[in-house]
């Protein structure tokens, strides 16, 4: 399984990959720090990721904008996406659902993060 | 008195006793200007109320055309003629608007012009009743302005709540996550050490964010006193504050002959400190800054975010040779917590430019930005020329 995580925050990416490797060390975790870099990667990748995690609050092309571009691209539209955010803002959650993306509020506890990611991965694998 | 809109004007017969009392009553009315106009709109009589509202004596005004009370722009658009024509055709014309007194000051008048007819139905003149509603209009305007201010503040507050929920929680969440990882790895000294350091970085970031938010919110408190501020001296001081960075980055800050403005010294210092600080930070080479001023006529300003009320503005340009940004972000960068660059590479809270925007608003001016990636940025600060004490 291949996962793409896009987040401008180094520490968050590190924690994210650490959690994924704890859940399943076989999962390949690709990390990118910018929305436009992620878009370029997706447009050029021959093998698309099975699941994408997008941070909402990023400088430049943010997560919501990138999600809209993914959904309007014929090649990428069907990709499975989970939006990540520190906030549980209802508008953000609603907009993400409208664009067929899951939503995960970044938890404060590492243990909770691992458990939430495990649930998401199980759901998408099934 | 007839209630119909069309009335018959009497000939030159002597008034009866009741008519004399009636005219006397009109002459004495103080709260309404009640005027008789001939067919061309020339003033035939004048009452006490008209003198009180419009400022002319009977001797000064009799025979003059009623268009004398209209503002030049309304005269140019033939508002008096339009209203007279409407009264002629429909029997009555009602209008509310600004009118001019003898001394050139304006009043908000509620006006009814009624056509007067002879026994064959021809229009022979008009009655014109004017009420001065300036106080009511001003109270309404104040209320509308207050409502608009409240709406703007509510939107700001809503935005503030939204962004703080993202940005303030971010370092706090990390502190808790790192503490969690430390707790789970207490016997692994290397992990503990690594995450303690990360925890420290997040705490410092939280502290910076809180300080910046406090700086921003303090700006809105109270009404700052404005005094003459020589901007050359302000920038001299900012340069001293950035002495170490300027030396480290071999930066040049070029400025001379900047004006003295009537402003809030501390806020203006913060304004230039934020702009110069950004120019020193967002760069890959030795920063070169140019700060200059120029007088700009209203129609020469094309990128204003507000309605320009002044004829002339003083533009202070702060130009750098930094990394710049995409032109599409020229407005967005003034929003709270807006960051265009990765915070690990270019640390900061994303509040600096929203503070600049607010400071300019408090000086009745505005700030704009122009940029291209790798081609530097140009920030323009526009102050009303009335703020300039010395060019």
């Amino acid at each position: 399984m291949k996962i793409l995580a896009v987040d401008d925050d180094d520490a968050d990416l590190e924690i994210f990959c650490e959690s994924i490797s704890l859940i399943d060390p076989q999962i390949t975790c690709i990390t990118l720090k910018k929305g436009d870099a992620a878009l370029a990667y997706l447009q050029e990748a021959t093998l698309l990721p099975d699941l994408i995690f997008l941070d909402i609050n990023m400088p430049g092309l943010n997560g919501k904008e990138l999600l809209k571009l993914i959904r309007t691209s014929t090649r990428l539209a069907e990709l499975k996406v989970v939006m990540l955010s520190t906030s549980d803002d209802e508008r953000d959650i609603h907009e993400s659902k409208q664009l067929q993306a899951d939503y995960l509020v970044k938890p404060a506890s590492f243990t909770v993060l691992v458990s939430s990611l495990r649930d998401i991965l199980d759901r998408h694998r099934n | 008195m007839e209630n119909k809109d069309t009335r018959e004007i009497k000939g030159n017969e002597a008034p009866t006793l009741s008519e004399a009392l009636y005219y006397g009553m009109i002459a004495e009315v103080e709260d309404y200007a009640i005027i008789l106009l001939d067919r061309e709109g020339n003033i035939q009589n004048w009452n006490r109320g008209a003198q009180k509202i419009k400022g002319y004596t009977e001797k000064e005004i009799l025979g003059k055309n009623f268009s004398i009370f209209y503002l030049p722009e309304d005269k140019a658009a033939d508002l008096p003629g339009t209203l007279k024509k409407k009264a002629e055709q429909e029997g009555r014309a009602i209008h509310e608007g600004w009118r001019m007194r003898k001394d050139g000051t304006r009043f908000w008048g509620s006006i009814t012009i009624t056509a007067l007819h002879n026994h064959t139905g021809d229009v022979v003149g008009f009655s014109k009743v004017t009420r001065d509603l300036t106080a009511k209009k001003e109270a309404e305007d104040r209320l509308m302005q207050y409502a608009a201010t409240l709406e703007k503040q509510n939107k700001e507050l809503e935005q503030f709540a939204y962004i703080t929920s993202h940005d303030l929680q971010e370092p706090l969440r990390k502190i808790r996550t790192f503490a969690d990882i430390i707790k789970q790895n207490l016997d692994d000294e290397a992990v503990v050490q690594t995450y303690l350091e990360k925890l420290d970085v997040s705490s410092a970031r939280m502290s910076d964010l809180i300080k910046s938010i406090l700086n921003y919110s303090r700006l809105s408190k109270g009404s700052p006193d404005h005094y003459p501020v020589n901007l050359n001296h302000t920038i001299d001081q900012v340069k001293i504050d950035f002495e170490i960075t300027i030396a480290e980055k071999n930066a040049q800050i070029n400025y001379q002959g900047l004006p003295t403005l009537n402003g809030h010294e501390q806020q203006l210092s913060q304004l230039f400190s934020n702009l110069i600080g950004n120019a020193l930070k967002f760069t890959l080479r030795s920063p070169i800054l140019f700060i200059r001023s120029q007088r700009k006529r209203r129609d020469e300003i094309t990128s204003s975010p507000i309605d320009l009320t002044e004829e002339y503005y003083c533009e202070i340009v702060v130009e750098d040779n930094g990394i710049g940004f995409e032109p599409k972000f020229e407005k967005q960068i003034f929003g709270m917590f807006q960051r265009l660059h990765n915070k690990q590479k270019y640390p900061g809270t994303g509040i600096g430019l929203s503070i600049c925007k607010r400071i300019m608003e408090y000086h009745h001016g505005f700030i704009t930005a122009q940029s291209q990636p790798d081609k530097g940025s140009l920030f323009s600060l526009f102050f009303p020329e009335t703020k300039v004490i010395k060019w």
Side-chain angles (χ1 to χ4, degrees), chain A residues 1-124:
Chain A
M1 189 181 194
K2 187 162 86 166
I3 285 176
L4 170 65
V6 190
D7 197 321
D8 66 308
D9 193 301
D10 284 342
D12 275 348
L13 278 180
E14 195 183 319
I15 296 165
F16 181 86
C17 291
E18 178 71 23
S19 312
I20 296 289
S21 71
L22 271 178
I23 297 164
D24 182 351
Q26 300 299 313
I27 295 175
T28 310
C29 191
I30 300 155
T31 57
L32 288 168
K33 289 189 198 172
K34 281 183 154 188
D36 41 13
L39 184 64
Y41 169 82
L42 290 170
Q43 282 166 340
E44 285 163 25
T46 44
L47 189 62
L48 289 170
D50 301 289
L51 192 54
I52 303 175
F53 287 85
L54 290 183
D55 179 37
I56 287 188
N57 196 14
M58 287 189 290
L61 186 67
N62 66 37
K64 280 197 275 186
E65 289 163 345
L66 178 54
L67 175 61
K68 280 179 197 158
L69 291 173
I70 288 173
R71 291 295 179 241
T72 50
S73 152
T74 34
R75 183 165 169 262
L76 309 175
E78 297 302 317
L79 283 173
K80 291 172 182 172
V81 180
V82 180
M83 303 305 284
L84 295 169
S85 176
T86 303
S87 149
D88 59 355
D89 186 86
E90 279 180 22
R91 277 175 300 178
D92 287 344
I93 296 173
H94 180 71
E95 283 176 48
S96 303
K97 300 278 177 205
Q98 293 273 71
L99 290 166
Q100 289 82 47
D102 272 355
Y103 193 96
L104 175 64
V105 179
K106 293 178 183 174
S109 150
F110 183 69
T111 318
V112 176
L113 176 67
V114 172
S115 142
S116 304
L117 287 176
R118 195 190 302 277
D119 288 348
I120 289 171
L121 289 175
D122 286 349
R123 207 163 54 238
H124 284 282

Side-chain angles (χ1 to χ4, degrees), chain A residues 8-12 14-15 33 57 59-60 64 85-87 89 91-92 106-111, chain B residues 158 162 165-167 169-170 173-174 176-178 180-181 184 195 198 329 339-344:
Chain A
D8 66 308
D9 193 301
D10 284 342
D12 275 348
E14 195 183 319
I15 296 165
K33 289 189 198 172
N57 196 14
K64 280 197 275 186
S85 176
T86 303
S87 149
D89 186 86
R91 277 175 300 178
D92 287 344
K106 293 178 183 174
S109 150
F110 183 69
T111 318
Chain B
E158 202 178 296
Y162 175 80
S165 74
H166 277 94
D167 288 72
Q169 282 197 62
E170 178 250 314
R173 174 180 54 78
K174 279 202 199 114
R176 292 180 63 192
T177 307
F178 297 148
D180 200 23
I181 295 174
Q184 289 175 30
Y195 283 95
K198 286 179 189 289
F329 297 122
R339 304 177 49 83
L340 301 182
H341 305 287
N342 184 292
K343 61 177 167 282
Q344 282 84 31

